[in-house]
Amino acid sequence: MPGSLSRLVAALCALVAAGHAAAAQDIKGRQYTPPNYVFSPFVPKDIVTHDVGAIGFQPFVDILAWETFIALNWPVPTPIVQRGVPDPQNIIGGFLTGGGEGGKPSSMPVGPVVWETFKDTNDIYLNPPVRPTSFDTPESIPPACKGIATANPAAARRTLALTSKFGEIVSSVIQADGNRLVDQNRMNVWYEIKLNRVYYDYVVANGFYNSANQKGKTIAFPVSSNSTARDATIKVKAAWKVIGLLGSRQPDDPAKFYTTEALTIDPTTGQCSKQLLGLVGLHIVMKTAQLPQWLWATFEHVDNAPDQATGPVSGKKYNFFGADCAGCPLNQAPGKGSQFPTQVVRVIPVNNVAASNNTLYQTALKTLRPDNVWQYYQLVDAQWGASPKPIGQPNQPKFLANTTLETYLQQPVAPNGCINCHGMYAGSTDLDFQLQGAYPQGANTMKGLAAIFRLEGVGTPRGK
Ligand code: HEC
């Protein structure tokens, strides 16, 4: 490695170590603002504001969002010791070190990353509702995937079924087709929900994985703050696309995505297969003392979709928009059985505050390592509520959507928007829908909700 690069890596190592020590000794000092930026594997406890004045909270909330994104996408040690804990010797995107074969740089692992080792929602909310396995137990493997999992241990880290618990109910109640998103290669997008140790401990200690135990209880997930050492409750919802290989309609460049091998179960045939997936969307939701209606940060791959107002950039390839499909209806869910690519546009553009932070963090990630895959992700925005009430009314922004996770819910109308929708329908469960997926299912659980959603038109395609 050239001398300047090795010096930079060494300097960054030192900075990481410094960040580590600071986090342990002085929790208040944890927040680092660009340009004096320090990569840290530790999730910040809360926003740290200074000179709020006319600029308001938003820039500090965006910084909290990015710092949390960096900590949650930090690699874990191999083998995994404790789930949800980063490898402080490594760095986001993986260190490039000298001493590889033939004098080439060798690379530390890029993944799995912290949030991927959180507990899968399907391993917490069981039917019948028995106590889930410990947080450190690896993800369970569905019977259809057992054989292939033995042959592909890396891929067996995650198994994805296309329809979530909620999705199944929704698709059977609302529309025959449900809400799928189909990419330019006619492949379905896959979703998963992961919950951290604080979430898991709270749900298990209270027996809330059984809906009967939720009755009459006040549900309030633990918060983190700048004055206590406690960790925050964190929830992640991710969207993955199948990486299009050479020869596919629109081949993807795997070097531009955070990729993972996974086992996926085909919804029609029930067959399990191994796929290479690329991350395209990531919701990060975290509860802190100053953000009692949670932080709702949403990140996307930079090539997902063009802005509706400005249209596609000439010559650019999008994951979910085909320039060759000029007359295609926009943001329209595919019909039953159709694999016609969804023509996606972003209805509300990324605002200037988020955009300037994106440039700062993307540049920092690239400095760390020129081929760092995380430089290809952007914060769309971070929504928040500074007071616990009224539930469902965010301070800023008024609406927010991710083009891969709320493709058909982007218009600025109720019940779209994160806090808006979660507050409206999950106010009694501290804005959490997973608790409503607990068994047994009844009128106040996900099953009952599906009927409400149908009335509100959630999940039906929304216009151009
Ligand atoms: C119109 C309603 C609606 C909107 C808008 C919405 N969500 Fe959700 N969200 C849901 C439902 C329903 C689920 C449960 C899905 C499941 O279990 O498969 C969910 C699940 C989640 C989860 C998993 C944890 C949980 O609370 O169940 C996260 C994290 C999440 N949403 C984040 C977001 C973010 C961030 C936004 C805004 C960018 C957003 N949501 C917008 C309805 C909505």
Side-chain angles (χ1 to χ4, degrees):
M1 149 175 17
S4 58
L5 182 58
S6 65
R7 273 196 304 279
L8 175 68
V9 169
L12 286 166
C13 279
L15 285 174
V16 171
H20 190 167
Q25 286 155 17
D26 178 17
I27 297 150
K28 277 195 180 127
R30 166 63 186 79
Q31 194 82 46
Y32 300 96
T33 315
N36 304 315
Y37 183 64
V38 179
F39 287 95
S40 168
F42 302 102
V43 175
K45 303 285 180 185
D46 206 342
I47 47 169
V48 175
T49 54
H50 51 84
D51 306 329
V52 175
I55 54 170
F57 263 26
Q58 194 65 47
F60 306 106
V61 176
D62 286 5
I63 289 168
L64 179 73
W66 258 111
E67 302 265 311
T68 305
F69 177 86
I70 284 167
L72 294 184
N73 286 306
W74 202 277
V76 296
T78 341
I80 299 166
V81 187
Q82 258 194 316
R83 295 177 76 86
V85 177
D87 178 1
Q89 309 301 321
N90 203 343
I91 198 142
I92 179 167
F95 263 129
L96 265 185
T97 54
E101 244 176 83
K104 288 195 189 127
S106 67
S107 172
M108 282 178 76
V110 176
V113 298
V114 168
W115 70 262
E116 294 180 278
T117 66
F118 288 173
K119 196 85 173 163
D120 195 280
T121 188
N122 295 317
D123 287 337
I124 298 182
Y125 297 100
L126 305 164
N127 185 20
V130 293
R131 190 188 172 91
T133 55
S134 78
F135 188 83
D136 286 301
T137 307
E139 213 166 295
S140 65
I141 296 166
C145 293
K146 285 259 155 72
I148 195 165
T150 316
N152 300 279
R157 276 204 321 260
R158 71 155 37 78
T159 50
L160 299 170
L162 179 67
T163 46
S164 67
K165 238 180 312 184
F166 184 79
E168 277 164 21
I169 295 165
V170 169
S171 51
S172 60
V173 178
I174 293 183
Q175 296 202 327
D177 57 359
N179 305 333
R180 280 178 302 126
L181 171 58
V182 180
D183 73 10
Q184 287 296 303
N185 291 321
R186 303 178 183 272
M187 301 298 273
N188 290 316
V189 168
W190 301 81
Y191 301 99
E192 66 180 331
I193 294 172
K194 298 276 189 182
L195 306 158
N196 83 338
R197 195 180 290 266
V198 178
Y199 179 104
Y200 170 92
D201 285 346
Y202 179 74
V203 167
V204 172
N206 289 288
F208 289 157
Y209 51 81
N210 183 329
S211 63
N213 297 334
Q214 296 174 20
K215 289 211 179 85
K217 298 281 165 56
T218 302
I219 292 170
F221 283 93
V223 299
S224 58
S225 82
N226 288 326
S227 54
T228 60
R230 201 166 55 192
D231 289 332
T233 308
I234 300 178
K235 313 191 282 184
V236 171
K237 190 173 179 185
W240 300 89
K241 88 184 282 293
V242 177
I243 293 291
L245 302 174
L246 285 178
S248 53
R249 190 169 169 266
Q250 183 176 302
D252 293 308
D253 178 359
K256 279 191 83 177
F257 292 85
Y258 175 67
T259 58
T260 186
E261 283 193 334
L263 301 180
T264 56
I265 302 173
D266 186 296
T268 29
T269 63
Q271 210 163 15
C272 183
S273 63
K274 188 176 76 140
Q275 307 269 19
L276 181 64
L277 303 180
L279 188 68
V280 288
L282 194 68
H283 281 337
I284 297 175
V285 176
M286 168 161 91
K287 198 175 176 197
T288 75
Q290 291 180 80
L291 306 175
Q293 286 197 51
W294 306 69
L295 161 78
W296 302 77
T298 193
F299 289 83
E300 288 194 33
H301 191 267
V302 291
D303 296 334
N304 280 348
D307 285 352
Q308 180 162 29
T310 51
V313 174
S314 153
K316 183 171 161 138
K317 284 206 168 128
Y318 295 93
N319 299 327
F320 304 105
F321 182 93
D324 54 352
C325 201
C328 286
L330 304 175
N331 297 345
Q332 195 95 47
K336 188 182 166 92
S338 166
Q339 291 303 124
F340 194 80
T342 318
Q343 189 79 333
V344 180
V345 289
R346 187 183 311 288
V347 174
I348 303 175
V350 176
N351 65 62
N352 291 342
V353 178
S356 64
N357 264 320
N358 286 340
T359 309
L360 277 167
Y361 283 96
Q362 287 161 347
T363 310
L365 287 161
K366 195 175 169 180
T367 312
L368 205 53
R369 171 174 174 160
D371 61 350
N372 203 320
V373 292
W374 299 108
Q375 68 185 290
Y376 302 114
Y377 293 86
Q378 61 176 346
L379 174 69
V380 180
D381 211 340
Q383 200 187 43
W384 51 280
S387 61
K389 287 204 168 102
I391 297 178
Q393 286 184 25
N395 285 64
Q396 237 180 302
K398 293 301 172 204
F399 294 96
L400 178 58
N402 184 304
T403 64
T404 65
L405 286 135
E406 290 83 33
T407 314
Y408 315 112
L409 303 168
Q410 294 188 54
Q411 302 292 340
V413 291
N416 298 352
C418 326
I419 289 182
N420 323 53
C421 179
H422 281 249
M424 187 181 293
Y425 298 112
S428 64
T429 48
D430 199 6
L431 283 68
D432 182 63
F433 276 115
Q434 299 316 292
L435 283 168
Q436 304 192 1
Y439 291 91
Q441 287 283 305
N444 296 321
T445 55
M446 205 73 99
K447 205 170 181 177
L449 260 182
I452 302 172
F453 274 77
R454 182 171 51 142
L455 292 176
E456 296 288 349
V458 172
T460 51
R462 272 169 201 273
K464 298 174 155 203

